[in-house]
Amino acid sequence: MNSNKMTINLALFGMTQSGKSSAGNIILGSTDFHSSFAPCSVTRDCSLGRSCHFRSFMRRGGQEVTLQVQVLDTPGYPHSRLSKKHVRQEVREALAHHFGQEGLHLALLVQRADVPLCGQEESSPVQMIQELLGHTWMNYTAILFTHAEKIEEAGFNEDEYLREASETLLKLLNSIQHRYIFQYKKGNSLSEQRLKILERIIEFVKENCYQVLTFK
Ligand SMILES: Nc1nc2c(ncn2[C@@H]2O[C@H](COP(=O)(O)OP(=O)(O)OP(=O)(O)O)[C@@H](O)[C@H]2O)c(=O)[nH]1
């Protein structure tokens, strides 16, 4: 790694229509990923998007670092058309292809805040993360709650929401050291949202001492 340049590698996981592509676009500040409402799964293939280079965003050892973010968008899991086996294989190959050598800094589990996370079945995205990232998955995973404006509309703040969350979600948050981000569609401008999300992601990556997971 060039000490004045840093690339942060992220992968998005989540159920169909949870808002993965839209979150990826917000993080990258682009429209690289096709995002739309549908009564079925939209994304069929993995794809990698790259942000522009940010200057004056991050410092390391007193030096200004130029930062670039790479985001891997993945098909929803479970998928409305593709088998679970197919999706797992597609994502496994994409992780090895894009992050095999460089490594993955953080997997974002994209979860709708207005859909309670209940008992984790074999077909849940968390199971896929565990399978693909291996036994240290919990050190490299954070939850990105989309549709967070629905929480506000229902009169909850973030702390109240988390206090009343399902046992499954609370257990998951405990195991990933309470790494979570709320993404709001209303109110803040897109660039404000992006900045807030990026700051949290960088915080998590720093707390993890910039460690990465590699895939052979
Ligand atoms: N209100 C609201 N809508 C959102 C939010 N995030 C995404 N959406 C909408 O949800 C729909 C699905 O978003 P996508 O980004 O395509 O979701 P996806 O997980 O990539 O979908 P698949 O590829 O089908 O799995 C789109 O209409 C988005 O505009 C959010 O935070 N709030």
Side-chain angles (χ1 to χ4, degrees):
M1 184 187 68
N2 176 333
S3 59
N4 293 326
K5 236 180 119 194
M6 172 155 202
T7 304
I8 289 183
N9 293 327
L10 309 171
L12 302 166
F13 293 85
M15 291 177 73
T16 286
Q17 288 287 294
S18 57
K20 299 175 293 303
S21 305
S22 164
N25 286 336
I26 292 174
I27 293 168
L28 296 175
S30 72
T31 50
D32 282 11
F33 304 130
H34 178 62
S35 162
S36 66
F37 167 82
C40 59
S41 304
V42 172
T43 307
R44 292 184 71 107
D45 305 299
C46 290
S47 58
L48 189 78
R50 290 189 180 89
S51 73
C52 59
H53 290 92
F54 303 99
R55 288 186 185 86
S56 321
F57 197 91
M58 197 175 167
R59 296 184 78 80
R60 246 183 124 177
Q63 291 269 331
E64 198 170 272
V65 175
T66 303
L67 177 75
Q68 187 175 38
V69 180
Q70 299 195 119
V71 179
L72 182 72
D73 190 20
T74 66
Y77 189 84
H79 198 276
S80 64
R81 291 193 194 93
L82 306 170
S83 72
K84 284 179 275 185
K85 194 170 161 210
H86 178 101
V87 175
R88 283 201 305 270
Q89 190 56 22
E90 162 80 17
V91 180
R92 192 192 307 277
E93 284 171 14
L95 286 170
H97 178 69
H98 296 293
F99 304 141
Q101 304 287 326
E102 283 179 46
L104 175 74
H105 290 91
L106 194 67
L108 289 171
L109 171 65
V110 180
Q111 167 71 29
R112 286 184 63 143
D114 58 341
V115 177
L117 190 71
C118 298
Q120 289 293 298
E121 300 131 27
E122 248 180 60
S123 57
S124 80
V126 181
Q127 297 286 326
M128 179 162 77
I129 290 175
Q130 291 176 357
E131 189 181 323
L132 298 185
L133 268 52
H135 68 283
T136 57
W137 69 275
M138 68 285 278
N139 299 331
Y140 297 91
T141 302
I143 301 181
L144 178 69
F145 291 106
T146 58
H147 298 73
E149 71 280 358
K150 301 266 166 50
I151 302 177
E152 280 187 340
E153 283 163 23
F156 287 88
N157 63 33
E158 292 176 7
D159 290 341
E160 287 163 344
Y161 172 85
L162 292 173
R163 259 201 308 277
E164 301 204 10
S166 69
E167 199 57 37
T168 308
L169 178 56
L170 294 176
K171 265 172 83 175
L172 178 61
L173 281 168
N174 261 333
S175 62
I176 59 169
Q177 296 148 53
H178 295 268
R179 279 188 293 264
Y180 62 82
I181 306 168
F182 284 92
Q183 178 193 289
Y184 296 84
K185 194 96 185 193
K186 285 195 292 199
N188 300 353
S189 72
L190 272 181
S191 55
E192 266 179 81
Q193 272 189 56
R194 180 188 190 202
L195 208 65
K196 207 182 117 206
I197 294 172
L198 276 174
E199 279 170 358
R200 289 282 281 167
I201 289 171
I202 291 166
E203 210 177 290
F204 299 150
V205 170
K206 272 188 189 164
E207 279 165 9
N208 219 12
C209 303
Y210 303 92
Q211 291 182 91
V212 288
L213 260 183
T214 52
F215 305 89
K216 302 277 144 44

